[in-house]
Amino acid sequence: MPGNGEAVTRRTETEVRSTEARGGEVRSGEQGPAFVLSRGIVMLFAVACGASVANVYFSQPLLVTMGHDLAMSPALVGSVVTLTHVGYGLGLFFLVPLGDMGDRRRLVVAQLLLLVVALGVVAAAPTAAILLAGMAATGLLAVVTQTLVAFAASLAPAAQRGRVVGLVTSGVVIGILLARTASGLMADLAGWRSVYLASAALTALLALILYRVLPHHSDAPPTPLRYGQLLRSTITLFARERLLRLRALFGLLIFAAFSTLWSSVALPLSEAPYFLSHSAIGALGLIGVVGALAATVAGRLNDRGFSRHTTGTALALLAASWLPLAFTRSSFWALAVGVILLDLAVQAVHVTNQTLIYALHPDAGSRLIGGYMVFYSVGSATGAIAATSLYSAAGWGAVCALGATFSCLGLLLWAITARRHTCRTPHIS
């Protein structure tokens, strides 16, 4: 049944190829892909995803410099990050579902080329108003990341989808973690505008390569729905699929915990006893990459039918990660261990979530992933706002308690749903 995550990953090839009329919408199964998805192309997907999503985070260490250059007030400077994330959230709902309507390759290339234009506007912005417009457009178009994830999932054989999604999603997480480090270093060398010029050049190159390498169509047939119907069907899918709602809640909670750490960890590291520079704090993302890379194992476990156990183990690690993180002020090694555990856990759950929800309706893969990522955005925003406010009021210990609360809520949700699932289908491992 669609609400049963383990059963989704254990379908036989015969079941997968079948189609089922459901609620007036044809549910298409997966066909054996004619396009060979080599490891090199999977890595290209990962690089493109990481480079695209990094544009959302480049500005964070550059805000003060941007403000001075364009004579922006502190409140206006803060709106740079806000508008970028608002644009990203709008893109998840209004642009990502377009991937289900036709040629994903053409859509990806078009969005990348428009992203090049938006990055050029940011790099050349003579006034604050133009900068803000460019940042909003950058966030809107950076959702090409999720179109790429859905595209890669559609090209992967069912038995290897978890591994493919794991590798591609690793690129996303690495892009997020390294964006601040890269932008800080480049800005020190050549100014903040060089960050966006370099990103525009890289994005244009990726658009050319992807245009030449990727197939015109994936194996999931395009939907006959018109655009308005497409957007409404995203909401309908959430109303219909229990598994989608459950995995979206997991996504909200894990990214609230993720954002709780990464939006506030610079604050204690810039104070006693560390007094680290912005570049040194940004380099902390390199430690997080270790956890992100290690979590690709989650995709392979999901392919073997262990998505439920992988989720539970990862959520337990996420909750446990806040214990060493609580000792950040007294031990940098404790911080490093906590960062690795947290990023490993978040990545493992995220990969499992995307693999399972895509398998529900391969013909609606872009809508499913785009809708799921809206919850990711809500969780990220909630964690960031709550963590920074709480740090000012009650300190680092309170921030760790907040992160642990988000994590434990996720683990409790898993325990409740896993128990119900086991009672209904005790034969599933």
Side-chain angles (χ1 to χ4, degrees):
M1 294 295 291
N4 189 329
E6 302 298 328
V8 169
T9 60
R10 289 174 176 262
R11 288 173 177 164
T12 65
E13 290 299 316
T14 301
E15 291 171 323
V16 165
R17 290 192 179 95
S18 65
T19 59
E20 178 182 2
R22 210 172 157 201
E25 180 178 342
V26 175
R27 179 178 179 180
S28 296
E30 304 161 56
Q31 305 294 332
F35 177 79
V36 178
L37 189 64
S38 67
R39 185 176 180 83
I41 294 178
V42 173
M43 297 309 296
L44 176 61
F45 270 110
V47 171
C49 284
S52 299
V53 77
N55 292 297
V56 178
Y57 299 90
F58 280 147
S59 65
Q60 292 183 1
L62 310 177
L63 294 177
V64 174
T65 306
M66 286 178 170
H68 289 160
D69 189 21
L70 298 176
M72 300 168 67
S73 67
L76 201 57
V77 168
S79 65
V80 169
V81 174
T82 301
L83 282 175
T84 307
H85 282 277
V86 168
Y88 194 82
L90 292 173
L92 288 171
F93 187 77
F94 290 104
L95 293 185
V96 174
L98 291 172
D100 292 331
M101 294 187 72
D103 187 349
R104 280 196 177 116
R105 185 190 71 156
R106 183 176 298 174
L107 177 63
V108 164
V109 172
Q111 287 187 353
L112 287 173
L113 292 177
L114 288 172
L115 181 57
V116 170
V117 174
L119 291 168
V121 169
V122 171
T127 65
I130 294 177
L131 174 70
L132 293 175
M135 294 303 299
T138 296
L140 181 74
L141 294 163
V143 296
V144 67
T145 301
Q146 304 310 322
T147 305
L148 285 163
V149 172
F151 198 177
S154 72
L155 294 172
Q160 299 176 21
R161 183 169 294 127
R163 180 183 65 84
V164 170
V165 172
L167 287 170
V168 173
T169 307
S170 291
V172 178
V173 176
I174 291 170
I176 293 172
L177 292 173
L178 297 187
R180 302 170 185 86
T181 305
S183 63
L185 292 174
M186 289 189 64
D188 288 342
L189 293 173
W192 70 268
R193 296 178 188 270
S194 69
V195 175
Y196 293 95
L197 285 173
S199 183
L202 176 59
T203 302
L205 178 61
L206 287 169
L208 176 61
I209 295 173
L210 289 169
Y211 179 79
R212 295 177 63 88
V213 168
L214 297 182
H216 289 275
H217 299 283
S218 63
D219 292 302
T223 177
L225 299 176
R226 293 190 294 273
Y227 182 65
Q229 295 173 316
L230 193 74
L231 298 182
R232 288 193 295 272
S233 72
T234 303
I235 300 172
T236 301
L237 286 168
F238 271 90
R240 176 187 299 168
E241 298 291 355
R242 177 182 174 275
L243 177 64
L244 177 57
R245 297 192 299 272
L246 175 62
R247 288 290 159 175
L249 285 175
F250 282 142
L252 187 152
L253 291 169
I254 63 171
F255 280 105
F258 182 86
S259 186
T260 294
L261 172 67
W262 287 106
S263 64
S264 62
V265 71
L267 300 174
L269 292 181
S270 62
E271 300 170 351
Y274 297 109
F275 297 110
L276 296 181
S277 66
H278 291 298
S279 297
I281 293 172
L284 185 64
L286 296 173
I287 299 175
V289 169
V290 175
L293 289 174
T296 55
V297 175
R300 295 185 175 88
L301 290 173
N302 185 74
D303 290 336
R304 296 174 184 174
F306 297 109
S307 57
R308 181 162 50 89
H309 291 159
T310 301
T311 302
T313 302
L315 288 169
L317 287 176
L318 182 61
S321 70
W322 291 100
L323 180 60
L325 288 172
F327 292 93
T328 291
R329 288 192 179 277
S330 58
S331 172
F332 187 83
W333 288 109
L335 170 63
V337 170
V339 165
I340 292 173
L341 288 176
L342 182 138
D343 286 352
L344 168 62
V346 169
Q347 171 77 336
V349 178
H350 187 42
V351 168
T352 303
N353 287 347
Q354 291 186 101
T355 305
L356 290 177
I357 64 175
Y358 181 87
L360 289 172
H361 292 274
D363 56 319
S366 292
R367 279 168 284 168
L368 290 167
I369 289 179
Y372 163 78
M373 290 300 294
V374 170
F375 284 76
Y376 147 88
S377 295
V378 171
S380 294
T382 301
I385 294 170
T388 52
S389 300
L390 197 58
Y391 185 85
S392 300
W396 181 247
V399 171
C400 291
L402 174 68
T405 299
F406 286 133
S407 306
C408 289
L409 285 174
L411 185 59
L412 177 62
L413 177 62
W414 173 84
I416 293 171
T417 55
R419 182 174 181 178
R420 292 176 180 172
H421 171 81
T422 302
C423 291
R424 289 196 307 268
T425 54
H427 60 285
I428 294 176
S429 62

